[in-house]
mmCIF file of all heavy atoms in Angstrom:
data_model
loop_
_atom_site.group_PDB
_atom_site.id
_atom_site.type_symbol
_atom_site.label_atom_id
_atom_site.label_comp_id
_atom_site.label_asym_id
_atom_site.label_seq_id
_atom_site.Cartn_x
_atom_site.Cartn_y
_atom_site.Cartn_z
ATOM 1 N N MET A 1 120.445 67.043 173.849
ATOM 2 C CA MET A 1 119.040 67.143 173.466
ATOM 3 C C MET A 1 118.543 68.551 173.393
ATOM 4 O O MET A 1 117.679 68.933 172.624
ATOM 5 C CB MET A 1 118.136 66.367 174.399
ATOM 6 C CG MET A 1 118.397 64.895 174.531
ATOM 7 S SD MET A 1 118.051 64.039 173.068
ATOM 8 C CE MET A 1 116.258 63.610 173.330
ATOM 9 N N PHE A 9 110.070 66.918 163.179
ATOM 10 C CA PHE A 9 109.674 65.795 162.368
ATOM 11 C C PHE A 9 108.354 65.928 161.626
ATOM 12 O O PHE A 9 108.031 65.290 160.590
ATOM 13 C CB PHE A 9 109.625 64.481 163.257
ATOM 14 C CG PHE A 9 108.442 64.402 164.162
ATOM 15 C CD1 PHE A 9 107.304 63.723 163.810
ATOM 16 C CD2 PHE A 9 108.366 65.105 165.437
ATOM 17 C CE1 PHE A 9 106.220 63.632 164.585
ATOM 18 C CE2 PHE A 9 107.262 65.072 166.220
ATOM 19 C CZ PHE A 9 106.149 64.323 165.876
ATOM 20 N N SER A 19 107.106 64.946 148.606
ATOM 21 C CA SER A 19 108.089 64.756 147.512
ATOM 22 C C SER A 19 107.975 63.406 146.961
ATOM 23 O O SER A 19 108.236 63.134 145.775
ATOM 24 C CB SER A 19 109.514 65.029 148.048
ATOM 25 O OG SER A 19 109.758 64.196 149.087
ATOM 26 N N MET A 46 80.005 62.481 139.536
ATOM 27 C CA MET A 46 80.686 61.935 140.687
ATOM 28 C C MET A 46 80.744 60.349 140.574
ATOM 29 O O MET A 46 79.734 59.730 140.423
ATOM 30 C CB MET A 46 79.839 62.240 141.907
ATOM 31 C CG MET A 46 80.271 61.516 143.207
ATOM 32 S SD MET A 46 81.948 61.816 143.740
ATOM 33 C CE MET A 46 81.759 63.336 144.750
ATOM 34 N N SER A 56 71.671 60.300 150.959
ATOM 35 C CA SER A 56 72.060 61.610 151.712
ATOM 36 C C SER A 56 71.220 62.708 151.129
ATOM 37 O O SER A 56 71.068 63.719 151.786
ATOM 38 C CB SER A 56 73.507 61.873 151.572
ATOM 39 O OG SER A 56 73.815 62.152 150.195
ATOM 40 N N VAL A 69 66.423 68.072 164.931
ATOM 41 C CA VAL A 69 67.061 69.236 165.525
ATOM 42 C C VAL A 69 65.991 70.106 166.185
ATOM 43 O O VAL A 69 66.184 70.551 167.334
ATOM 44 C CB VAL A 69 67.748 70.114 164.456
ATOM 45 C CG1 VAL A 69 68.245 71.442 165.058
ATOM 46 C CG2 VAL A 69 68.979 69.327 163.826
ATOM 47 N N LEU A 106 73.541 47.365 167.707
ATOM 48 C CA LEU A 106 74.121 48.475 168.630
ATOM 49 C C LEU A 106 74.805 49.466 167.702
ATOM 50 O O LEU A 106 75.522 49.068 166.700
ATOM 51 C CB LEU A 106 75.229 47.847 169.504
ATOM 52 C CG LEU A 106 75.981 48.810 170.377
ATOM 53 C CD1 LEU A 106 75.006 49.353 171.480
ATOM 54 C CD2 LEU A 106 77.145 48.152 171.090
ATOM 55 N N ALA A 148 95.575 39.163 171.375
ATOM 56 C CA ALA A 148 95.485 37.861 170.764
ATOM 57 C C ALA A 148 96.543 37.543 169.752
ATOM 58 O O ALA A 148 97.064 38.504 169.149
ATOM 59 C CB ALA A 148 94.068 37.656 170.096
ATOM 60 N N ARG A 154 95.552 34.188 152.902
ATOM 61 C CA ARG A 154 95.635 34.771 151.618
ATOM 62 C C ARG A 154 94.155 35.170 151.218
ATOM 63 O O ARG A 154 93.211 34.531 151.518
ATOM 64 C CB ARG A 154 96.253 33.940 150.540
ATOM 65 C CG ARG A 154 97.799 33.855 150.686
ATOM 66 C CD ARG A 154 98.442 33.262 149.395
ATOM 67 N NE ARG A 154 97.957 31.864 149.290
ATOM 68 C CZ ARG A 154 98.491 30.861 149.875
ATOM 69 N NH1 ARG A 154 99.575 30.965 150.730
ATOM 70 N NH2 ARG A 154 98.010 29.625 149.637
ATOM 71 N N ASP A 204 83.423 24.461 161.493
ATOM 72 C CA ASP A 204 84.128 23.240 161.704
ATOM 73 C C ASP A 204 85.176 23.276 162.747
ATOM 74 O O ASP A 204 85.621 22.325 163.446
ATOM 75 C CB ASP A 204 84.802 22.792 160.429
ATOM 76 C CG ASP A 204 83.886 22.428 159.307
ATOM 77 O OD1 ASP A 204 82.733 22.241 159.597
ATOM 78 O OD2 ASP A 204 84.325 22.344 158.166
ATOM 79 N N GLY A 216 78.501 46.167 151.758
ATOM 80 C CA GLY A 216 77.533 45.152 151.371
ATOM 81 C C GLY A 216 76.153 45.641 151.703
ATOM 82 O O GLY A 216 75.193 45.349 151.062
ATOM 83 N N HIS A 279 75.881 60.089 169.027
ATOM 84 C CA HIS A 279 75.428 60.925 167.817
ATOM 85 C C HIS A 279 74.467 61.986 168.153
ATOM 86 O O HIS A 279 73.528 61.798 168.914
ATOM 87 C CB HIS A 279 74.742 59.935 166.794
ATOM 88 C CG HIS A 279 75.688 59.129 166.006
ATOM 89 N ND1 HIS A 279 75.279 57.945 165.441
ATOM 90 C CD2 HIS A 279 76.939 59.397 165.554
ATOM 91 C CE1 HIS A 279 76.249 57.482 164.775
ATOM 92 N NE2 HIS A 279 77.308 58.311 164.814
ATOM 93 N N ALA A 290 66.739 56.562 156.702
ATOM 94 C CA ALA A 290 67.341 55.847 155.652
ATOM 95 C C ALA A 290 66.944 54.346 155.643
ATOM 96 O O ALA A 290 66.641 53.775 154.552
ATOM 97 C CB ALA A 290 68.834 55.984 155.808
ATOM 98 N N ASP A 292 64.119 53.312 156.825
ATOM 99 C CA ASP A 292 62.691 53.337 156.384
ATOM 100 C C ASP A 292 62.606 53.388 154.885
ATOM 101 O O ASP A 292 61.829 52.731 154.283
ATOM 102 C CB ASP A 292 62.125 54.671 156.998
ATOM 103 C CG ASP A 292 60.698 54.593 157.229
ATOM 104 O OD1 ASP A 292 60.308 53.627 157.917
ATOM 105 O OD2 ASP A 292 59.957 55.457 156.635
ATOM 106 N N GLY A 351 85.405 66.291 132.995
ATOM 107 C CA GLY A 351 84.180 66.440 133.773
ATOM 108 C C GLY A 351 83.762 65.117 134.494
ATOM 109 O O GLY A 351 82.575 64.927 134.765
ATOM 110 N N ASP A 365 102.213 47.556 140.613
ATOM 111 C CA ASP A 365 101.831 47.322 139.262
ATOM 112 C C ASP A 365 100.254 47.224 139.068
ATOM 113 O O ASP A 365 99.735 46.881 138.044
ATOM 114 C CB ASP A 365 102.454 46.120 138.718
ATOM 115 C CG ASP A 365 102.085 44.911 139.530
ATOM 116 O OD1 ASP A 365 101.724 45.076 140.651
ATOM 117 O OD2 ASP A 365 102.177 43.731 138.994
ATOM 118 N N THR A 371 86.144 53.283 140.405
ATOM 119 C CA THR A 371 84.864 53.890 140.201
ATOM 120 C C THR A 371 83.748 53.176 141.213
ATOM 121 O O THR A 371 83.910 52.049 141.529
ATOM 122 C CB THR A 371 84.271 53.768 138.744
ATOM 123 O OG1 THR A 371 84.029 52.468 138.492
ATOM 124 C CG2 THR A 371 85.249 54.377 137.757
ATOM 125 N N ILE A 372 82.843 53.951 141.668
ATOM 126 C CA ILE A 372 81.853 53.457 142.543
ATOM 127 C C ILE A 372 80.465 53.878 141.934
ATOM 128 O O ILE A 372 80.256 55.125 141.749
ATOM 129 C CB ILE A 372 81.996 53.921 143.973
ATOM 130 C CG1 ILE A 372 83.410 53.561 144.459
ATOM 131 C CG2 ILE A 372 80.914 53.357 144.889
ATOM 132 C CD1 ILE A 372 83.751 53.997 145.878
#
Side-chain angles (χ1 to χ4, degrees):
M1 299 294 271
F9 75 95
S19 60
M46 171 61 87
S56 67
V69 172
L106 181 68
R154 283 193 299 276
D204 290 348
H279 279 155
D292 210 53
D365 58 338
T371 67
I372 302 178

